[in-house]
Amino acid sequence: MKGWIAIGVVAIAVAGCSSQESSSGETAEGDRPVLTASVPKDEMASASPGKKVFYRWCVECHGDGPRYPGTASLAVKYGKDMPAPLEQRKDLTPESVALFVRQGVSVMPPFRKTEITDAELAALGAYLSHNEEAVAPSAK
Amino acid sequence: MRTPPGISPATFASALQEFANVVGKEWVFTSDEDLDLYRDAYSPLRGEPDERKAAGAVAPRTVEEVQGVVRVANKYRIPLYTISTGRNLGYGGSAPAYSGSVVVDLKRMTQIIEVSDSQHYAIVEPGVSYFDLFNYVKEKGLKVWLDVPDPGWGSLVGNALDHGVGHTASRFRNHFDAHCGMEVVLANGEIMRTGMGALPNSKTWATYKMGYGPIVDGLFSQSNFGIVTKMGIWLMPEPEAFLQARVMVPAYGDLHELVEIQKYVENLGLAPGAPELGSPLLGAAGDTKSLVDIFFKGPPKFDKQHMDLIAGSKLGYSAQLEQYGRDNKIPYWTLSTTFYGPRKVVEAQWEALQDIVSARIKGARFESTGALTDRYEAARKGLIYPQNLGIPNLDFFAMGTSAGGNQPTRGHLFFSPVIPQSAEAILEANRVFSKAVNDIPLLQKVPMFNLRPFSLPSPFFERSYMFVLGFPVLDDPEINKATVAAFRELIRIGADHGWAEYRTSPIFQDQVMGVYSYNDNALLRFHEAIKDVIDPNGILSPGRYGIWPKHLREAAR
């Protein structure tokens, strides 16, 4: 609570430090695909169902790069203990994925069944737990 | 099983069966687990008795199914509550205004009916998100830009209907203004088309806004008079080039001239980009990109001397702070804007703006990106906020995460009354709300951001500013309750000064509608008169924006 009052009273929190960040001349933020439409078409066409769900619903916050909110948050939360981008995690299970997708956490809201159906959620869980069979390019 | 208030379980069961006959059993939701998905994820009332909760949800896919749902609701007097993509976070999300309603979830209506890059419009269904339309346009190589709000997963329809705003040129930023034509399912199940849509075989539904006779489109925004199932929206032709520029001025007193110039150039059409005010000297991130940078990286770090000077400022001013700014070349105020068009035009517009500023503000400095042509590169390199270039993303959601070492939250609320577009009004709003926080213990108890040391307003609507204060929603119900109480107090204080909200969560809609009280609440009484005629059973989104059907009106008071 105290931390919040400090932020409330001074619009920018107190953090004494000798250097001042410049507000112009940003360094490059790192390459990032802008949206699913930026993922090469043939890559998406041959992507597994779970990967398609990830790229449709998750990548905008959980992609691999410094400017993804979910990834940036997890990087702080886990530090060196775990990779921040979800696709690089080795510990996710379909159950844990389902939990976060249907309950949300912090400012991540839940996703409804009209957004990610149960079947799509299962596919997503398989994808993120690295437990799906390879999908042939000719499959959907 | 939950039931809507006043509806027996047997009646509700019949209604649910008939909903299932319309949309299919798998698209009717009644389990507690499913209905948790129709709670407001950012509600400050979560877990409290007055949290708004649904008794059911149905998800139609076609306009015929919407009609069917509405007819069933009418037959059984079931209150409905319509959501589009249900991502109106901070303003109620996917939860109803009236607990016990059945949410009508339009996310499955994802048809992009048409996009014309010769007439520069799109016609979409409510489930189409900014991401969806952007991807479609990109895939088809159409030469139009969208105007997007901060988060890209919202609905073009839902956002426009809730008076949402974006970040490109003024004529596109006001999303409701930019809409053209609607199709609406009325409470009696009939389909109505507005504007030129009322003329069968018209080809100008999405290009001529006014149709013939009274323009009724507005009735379907921030209201509950019908379910919008299609909407036209005007799009910007893809510009050859764009240029983002920043004006920097050294003196506190320069704010007046800066605002006067901003109004002149925007209203003239010389500088139509989102005119964002900032204060590097006060550490107030004015433009959205700088704000989002703070979400990701934490606040800018100032040396102790600078911070002490800020802490010692009154209404953002001190002579020493101003001198510090001059000595260190840190502007007191900045105005940033973006130009769109042919390269020589955007360069000329920027040059003209510089001339105007130089003639009126001593010591003004300028910087710009120069004319650029590749918006993806500009966004990728972090030169320009992607939303200024019509590129949707979710960067803004770094707010409230742990990113940047900031404190994580469970959501947010924004208090955003409309104030006049003048330095005088900015100062007055700062003075009034700062004093209120000083004097009123209720307001001191809650975490609040963007007030101190000085609050610069949001300029996304033309001709007015939104004075925005933010509140985090936390895991502590006591703090959240205090936040709600504080918000209510701010509504009262704002109304006393002629400032009131442009948009709120249902929690505050009755109160805010109550302050728009001219002539014994004539406006609300007019809304109610319309409601009684066109939705006599009061089934459409009861309570939304303070409009209650007759049978619930007394209780709502």
Side-chain angles (χ1 to χ4, degrees):
Chain A
M1 175 70 171
K2 265 206 180 133
W4 276 109
I5 294 191
I7 290 171
V9 166
V10 178
I12 305 306
V14 169
C17 174
S18 56
S19 68
Q20 178 184 330
E21 277 202 18
S22 69
S23 59
S24 62
E26 294 275 2
T27 54
E29 316 233 80
D31 224 33
R32 57 177 283 193
V34 174
L35 288 163
T36 46
S38 297
V39 177
K41 253 193 159 144
D42 49 1
E43 190 184 321
M44 275 309 279
S46 61
S48 66
K51 183 168 180 174
K52 284 198 171 99
V53 176
F54 186 83
Y55 272 87
R56 181 159 159 70
W57 289 106
C58 316
V59 75
E60 272 308 302
C61 284
H62 288 289
D64 186 2
R67 197 76 174 179
Y68 294 99
T71 303
S73 186
L74 292 176
V76 170
K77 187 175 174 191
Y78 294 135
K80 302 231 178 331
D81 294 345
M82 274 206 275
L86 293 184
E87 287 171 292
Q88 292 173 22
R89 292 273 289 272
K90 302 281 185 252
D91 64 313
L92 296 176
T93 63
E95 292 74 28
S96 61
V97 169
L99 194 80
F100 286 112
V101 169
R102 292 295 188 221
Q103 291 189 21
V105 58
S106 177
V107 292
M108 170 180 163
F111 288 78
R112 310 189 304 283
K113 296 183 180 183
T114 49
E115 298 172 301
I116 305 177
T117 64
D118 282 337
E120 287 167 338
L121 183 55
L124 178 67
Y127 173 65
L128 288 175
S129 59
H130 311 288
N131 196 24
E132 38 175 21
E133 295 154 24
V135 175
S138 57
K140 73 159 163 36
Chain B
M1 178 177 80
R2 306 180 202 174
T3 57
I7 304 290
S8 74
T11 303
F12 194 44
S14 300
L16 290 170
Q17 181 56 61
E18 291 198 32
F19 284 141
N21 294 343
V22 173
V23 302
K25 200 160 56 105
E26 68 273 32
W27 297 112
V28 178
F29 303 107
T30 52
S31 72
D32 284 350
E33 192 184 56
D34 283 343
L35 293 182
D36 274 352
L37 302 173
Y38 293 94
R39 295 169 79 175
D40 174 9
Y42 285 12
S43 177
L45 300 176
R46 194 170 184 90
E48 299 297 307
D50 46 358
E51 182 193 345
R52 309 297 198 261
K53 283 184 164 174
V58 301
R61 185 163 157 72
T62 64
V63 65
E64 291 76 22
E65 287 183 8
V66 174
Q67 290 178 279
V69 166
V70 168
R71 289 191 190 111
V72 171
N74 242 327
K75 177 176 170 186
Y76 293 100
R77 308 286 199 267
I78 307 296
L80 303 175
Y81 188 84
T82 309
I83 63 173
S84 303
T85 57
R87 293 248 163 260
N88 204 7
L89 295 165
Y91 297 111
S94 52
Y98 176 55
S99 275
S101 300
V102 170
V103 174
V104 179
D105 181 345
L106 301 182
K107 182 58 197 157
R108 295 178 65 220
M109 298 187 73
T110 51
Q111 283 194 89
I112 295 169
I113 311 288
E114 185 189 351
V115 182
S116 167
D117 71 350
S118 75
Q119 304 279 40
H120 315 117
Y121 67 77
I123 302 176
V124 293
E125 288 191 324
V128 175
S129 70
Y130 292 93
F131 285 135
D132 294 336
L133 186 61
F134 180 88
N135 285 339
Y136 179 90
V137 165
K138 190 163 190 243
E139 206 176 314
K140 302 258 184 258
L142 300 173
K143 307 248 176 278
V144 285
W145 279 19
L146 277 60
D147 182 284
V148 302
D150 289 306
W153 54 13
S155 158
L156 288 116
V157 174
N159 185 272
L161 296 181
D162 207 35
H163 299 182
V165 288
H167 292 264
T168 64
S170 47
R171 71 172 64 172
F172 302 104
R173 286 201 305 273
N174 179 329
H175 291 161
F176 186 76
D177 245 14
H179 101 280
C180 184
M182 310 177 161
E183 174 183 271
V184 187
V185 173
L186 301 174
N188 62 7
E190 283 194 279
I191 301 177
M192 177 175 77
R193 289 186 171 188
T194 69
M196 299 312 281
L199 173 64
N201 301 324
S202 159
K203 293 196 171 40
T204 50
W205 190 22
T207 55
Y208 184 64
K209 288 180 178 174
M210 294 186 284
Y212 187 73
I215 300 167
V216 300
D217 297 44
L219 289 176
F220 304 104
S221 71
Q222 289 196 352
S223 74
N224 54 16
F225 295 144
I227 298 179
V228 176
T229 50
K230 289 182 184 63
M231 192 187 80
I233 185 144
W234 285 2
L235 304 173
M236 176 156 72
E238 181 182 77
E240 173 201 305
F242 54 90
L243 183 160
Q244 189 163 87
R246 186 186 299 238
V247 173
M248 297 169 285
V249 296
Y252 182 81
D254 291 336
L255 184 63
H256 172 79
E257 273 306 299
L258 194 61
V259 170
E260 294 305 296
I261 293 169
Q262 177 247 303
K263 288 186 285 189
Y264 171 71
V265 298
E266 183 177 28
N267 296 343
L268 183 60
L270 176 62
E276 300 193 83
L277 293 167
S279 174
L281 190 57
L282 289 167
D287 65 281
T288 314
K289 182 174 179 299
S290 300
L291 186 63
V292 173
D293 288 345
I294 290 172
F295 299 154
F296 275 99
K297 300 178 193 167
K301 295 172 177 45
F302 296 150
D303 63 35
K304 187 174 186 318
Q305 181 192 7
H306 189 172
M307 287 199 316
D308 287 345
L309 289 171
I310 292 175
S313 66
K314 297 250 178 325
L315 268 196
Y317 175 68
S318 87
Q320 294 84 355
L321 179 63
E322 187 173 292
Q323 190 56 50
Y324 182 90
R326 288 184 191 281
D327 293 343
N328 291 278
K329 283 202 145 37
I330 304 171
Y332 222 122
W333 311 113
T334 58
L335 170 68
S336 70
T337 188
T338 313
F339 300 89
Y340 310 90
R343 174 182 286 269
K344 61 169 80 169
V345 172
V346 302
E347 286 171 346
Q349 286 172 321
W350 172 223
E351 203 185 313
L353 176 54
Q354 290 178 78
D355 290 348
I356 292 167
V357 173
S358 296
R360 290 162 67 163
I361 302 179
K362 195 166 147 197
R365 292 184 293 122
F366 309 97
E367 64 186 16
S368 87
T369 58
L372 303 170
T373 53
D374 185 338
R375 62 173 171 158
Y376 299 114
E377 187 184 44
R380 205 160 38 231
K381 285 186 171 167
L383 297 175
I384 298 183
Y385 191 47
Q387 282 75 342
N388 291 135
L389 304 172
I391 299 172
N393 62 39
L394 292 174
D395 286 5
F396 203 91
F397 278 91
M399 179 174 89
T401 69
S402 308
N406 292 315
Q407 187 154 355
T409 70
R410 204 175 43 68
H412 60 255
L413 289 174
F414 285 123
F415 170 69
S416 35
V418 178
I419 66 170
Q421 224 175 37
S422 68
E424 186 183 31
I426 296 173
L427 291 172
E428 194 193 353
N430 271 276
R431 190 181 312 122
V432 167
F433 288 112
S434 225
K435 180 174 195 304
V437 171
N438 261 344
D439 296 350
I440 303 174
L442 173 62
L443 298 177
Q444 290 153 17
K445 278 167 39 178
V446 301
M448 186 191 300
F449 45 85
N450 208 42
L451 179 58
R452 286 170 177 164
F454 193 79
S455 184
L456 286 163
S458 288
F460 301 110
F461 288 110
E462 290 171 279
R463 312 221 173 192
S464 305
Y465 284 143
M466 291 185 282
F467 186 83
V468 183
L469 300 179
F471 300 86
V473 175
L474 303 173
D475 276 320
D476 185 331
E478 291 312 307
I479 297 180
N480 292 338
K481 267 197 266 205
T483 294
V484 171
F487 200 110
R488 293 198 183 288
E489 183 62 24
L490 292 175
I491 292 170
R492 272 189 284 274
I493 294 167
D496 284 346
H497 290 83
W499 311 318
E501 301 284 88
Y502 91 101
R503 175 184 184 187
T504 63
S505 147
I507 297 170
F508 305 108
Q509 285 169 359
D510 285 312
Q511 183 186 1
V512 176
M513 194 60 221
V515 311
Y516 284 88
S517 60
Y518 177 78
N519 186 25
D520 192 26
N521 300 99
L523 183 60
L524 176 59
R525 288 186 286 116
F526 187 74
H527 296 162
E528 289 170 348
I530 295 172
K531 184 67 168 171
D532 292 346
V533 168
I534 66 171
D535 181 14
N537 295 328
I539 56 156
L540 297 180
S541 301
R544 182 159 169 76
Y545 281 89
I547 305 167
W548 292 96
K550 203 170 229 161
H551 69 281
L552 297 174
R553 213 165 279 160
E554 275 316 302
R557 305 246 186 282

